[in-house]
Amino acid sequence: MRPYSFWFIVGSQSLYGPEVLETVAQRAQEMADQLSRDLPYPLLYKVTAKSNQEIADVVKQANYDDDCAGVITWCHTFSPSKMWINGLAALQKPYCHLATQYNQEIPDQEIDMDFMNLNQAAHGDREHGFIAARLRMPRKIIAGYWRDQTVRDRLGSWMKAAVGAAVSRSMKVMRFGDNMREVAVTEGDKVETQTKLGWQVNTWAVGDLVKTMAAVTDAEIDALMETYKASYDIATDDIQAIRYQAREELAIKKMMDAEGCLAFSNTFQDLYGMEQLPGLATQHLMAQGYGYGGEGDWKVAAMTAILKAMGEGGNGCSLFMEDYTYNLTPGAEYSLGAHMLEVCPCCAAGRPRIETHHLGIGMNEKDPARLVFEGKAGDAVVASLIDMGGRMRLICQDIHCVKPILPMPNLPVARVMWQAEPSLTTGVECWIAAGGAHHTVLSYDVTAQQLRDWARIMDIEFVHINKDTTPESLERELFLSDLAWKLK
Ligand code: MN
């Protein structure tokens, strides 16, 4: 990833004289330095903005700097907002308004009119908020004392969402083969998606992958086999099947790296010239941070890579997932998620095993090697991006992953089990009403709040199914939202 940073732009005006402005600048520098120690990305103090020109200039620089992942504004003093209009109207980076104050307490004895003039964020931040509201600017607003842990946590969380936006805007997806025949939800308007989200989604021939696979050397495979052995238990005698997956992994990685792609998709319906559907290969690529979507699902592939990047510094655990089957026993209602092969081992509760099994779906000449494991317990979300025709909708649901309640010894794939909010059945009703896909990104790192922030930055619809959601409230929300997005 790039060395992302955020720019701190502090509002003021020339009215107060150089002494006040010097104090504002010193404090802004101190705040940026101290916050940077605690935040996931550095906060760089850039300017005490006192004029239209200064603001327009710093915004131009921020737009131009690929390492700048967003701007954070705050008004230490009053800062008349007409001088912000030209700059804000040109701003192309994620925008957070930190409504804070340098001092925590009102100093009872010392407070006088000088103090009031210097410390009037309560005044200045309202003027600043008005102009952003008037300009209809998508923005995050965080209010509170800047030294408070809650404020810092919220700022850090938003920074990660903003980095997700930067990663999205440079996303390249490599497609091998088309979407699975006749499937609707994995389709989408790639032109609209590139316009809104920045993704470059293009196709490469499976034949070129097969050629690249043929050029992989035994030495390269030997080295990757050592990595496999260090990370996983080998629970098969069919070493050739594992070596074949290593060959596939190396070839896919070479092709993606040559094109700067962070995600890929393939389909079991187009494996011409390949002996096995990539299983272990795809799983190990995902473990390295690449996104993936099965059955040609390029949307979930890119979203997986974006959530992996957003969760950077957490436990790295965001993965391609698919709702498979339910346990509907009253009191033990769970969803079982898995995929044909391709579940990322970042969520493994224990050490994964490499196994080979027959795969009836697709054109596999040989039994594909795959990692088999149980997913870990923990609070998480599942997220699905769908194309509503004219706009994208991101649906997110809160879930609680558990240790699978059954051993399922004959299930030859990795599995994750969870309880969904507000309950399995109501959750399913809501998910289906919203049009959510069977493919999702499951994340133990990225929160619903971060996905909401990301959707706001990308200007797409966001739907959150949580403990308070009812089918009735959701139906109304979707109806109104549909009208609003058509008018937009
Ligand atoms: Mn699938």
Side-chain angles (χ1 to χ4, degrees), residues 214-324:
V216 169
T217 66
D218 282 344
E220 289 173 299
I221 294 173
D222 290 344
L224 186 50
M225 288 294 286
E226 290 308 311
T227 305
Y228 290 163
K229 281 177 199 161
S231 311
Y232 313 125
D233 288 340
I234 293 181
T236 174
D237 295 330
D238 191 354
I239 301 302
Q240 282 315 311
I242 303 175
R243 291 185 68 87
Y244 193 82
Q245 290 283 334
R247 181 180 294 281
E248 290 179 327
E249 174 179 336
L250 289 158
I252 295 168
K253 188 172 189 309
K254 278 181 192 182
M255 287 184 66
M256 278 200 289
D257 291 351
E259 297 290 341
C261 292
L262 252 190
F264 73 106
S265 67
N266 59 12
T267 169
F268 64 89
Q269 287 173 333
D270 190 354
L271 297 177
Y272 192 85
M274 297 169 77
E275 290 177 6
Q276 305 175 20
L277 177 65
L280 168 62
T282 299
Q283 291 174 293
H284 193 245
L285 284 165
M286 286 190 282
Q288 293 164 70
Y290 295 98
Y292 171 77
E295 293 87 58
D297 191 342
W298 49 270
K299 296 201 301 297
V300 82
M303 287 304 293
T304 302
I306 290 167
L307 267 70
K308 278 179 180 289
M310 275 168 72
E312 187 93 355
N315 56 23
C317 201
S318 299
L319 59 147
F320 168 56
M321 185 45 60
E322 178 170 280
D323 291 79
Y324 247 103

Side-chain angles (χ1 to χ4, degrees), residues 3-23:
Y4 288 115
S5 60
F6 288 78
W7 288 18
F8 194 32
I9 304 171
V10 178
S12 190
Q13 60 180 337
S14 300
L15 202 66
Y16 308 109
E19 226 171 283
V20 165
L21 292 172
E22 187 52 38
T23 305

Side-chain angles (χ1 to χ4, degrees), residues 295 322 339 438-439:
E295 293 87 58
E322 178 170 280
H339 206 258
H438 54 290
H439 283 171

Side-chain angles (χ1 to χ4, degrees), residues 343-356:
V343 180
C344 178
C346 66
C347 75
R351 194 174 153 92
R353 296 181 311 280
I354 299 177
E355 300 182 7
T356 49

